[in-house]
Amino acid sequence: MKSLFSEDTVSEIRARIELLQENQNPKWGKMNASQMLAHCKFPLQVALGELALEKPNVFKRLLFSMFKSSLYDDKAWKQSLPTTKEFVVSNDKNFRNEKTDLLEEIEKFHTKKDQTEWPPHPMFGYFTQDQWGKMQYKHLDHHLNQFGV
């Protein structure tokens, strides 16, 4: 499984983002390309401590714990999975600004490649550095595949 802590993987993701076109249609889902770019920033911001999520109740945390390993394993995510409300983007976004912002968030996250202690995820609890890197790659890969890049 690739990791966003790898130089080669970050280069691959950057190149794929550069291939994305503003009017590109998704293969599935409701987001347009600009909204997808905005959406992809949120998990990175959670990992970096820049975005706080509402903590779920005990029942939801138990439910989420059953799916935790699927966030960073090598199996592709299913199309059109539900997302947390804080990650939903339904308003119009500026494509160039969102692309620039996402690339900056990726770089900020990548610079933490030597960080060994991470804050707990509000829904899933603790992840190792390796799991964070794989999870962030998997999320970006999922959405770039959604747009065929």
Side-chain angles (χ1 to χ4, degrees), residues 18-131:
E18 291 301 332
L19 292 172
L20 186 66
Q21 300 296 310
E22 183 172 3
N23 295 321
Q24 206 155 337
N25 291 321
K27 294 178 178 181
W28 71 84
K30 299 176 184 175
M31 292 186 289
N32 63 35
S34 301
Q35 292 167 329
M36 179 273 288
L37 291 169
H39 165 83
C40 284
K41 293 184 301 190
F42 299 142
L44 293 160
Q45 291 170 337
V46 168
L48 293 167
E50 298 172 356
L51 177 65
L53 300 178
E54 185 178 313
K55 290 186 181 182
N57 62 38
V58 174
F59 174 73
K60 283 186 179 179
R61 287 191 77 172
L62 180 62
L63 181 66
F64 290 144
S65 70
M66 294 177 1
F67 299 101
K68 183 177 177 178
S69 65
S70 70
L71 297 174
Y72 49 82
D73 66 15
D74 60 356
K75 295 177 186 162
W77 289 344
K78 294 180 182 178
Q79 300 174 359
S80 300
L81 289 171
T83 189
T84 186
K85 65 183 178 185
E86 292 94 341
F87 291 2
V88 173
V89 179
S90 55
N91 56 330
D92 291 334
K93 296 290 184 181
N94 179 286
F95 181 80
R96 272 185 272 172
N97 291 349
E98 295 303 330
K99 186 162 110 174
T100 298
D101 290 350
L102 176 57
L103 290 168
E104 287 175 3
E105 289 297 322
I106 290 168
E107 188 58 33
K108 277 196 275 185
F109 181 81
H110 178 70
T111 64
K112 303 283 187 182
K113 64 184 173 239
D114 295 323
Q115 182 172 315
T116 56
E117 292 190 27
W118 292 81
H121 190 284
M123 295 179 181
F124 296 100
Y126 286 95
F127 289 103
T128 65
Q129 184 256 12
D130 183 59
Q131 291 166 340

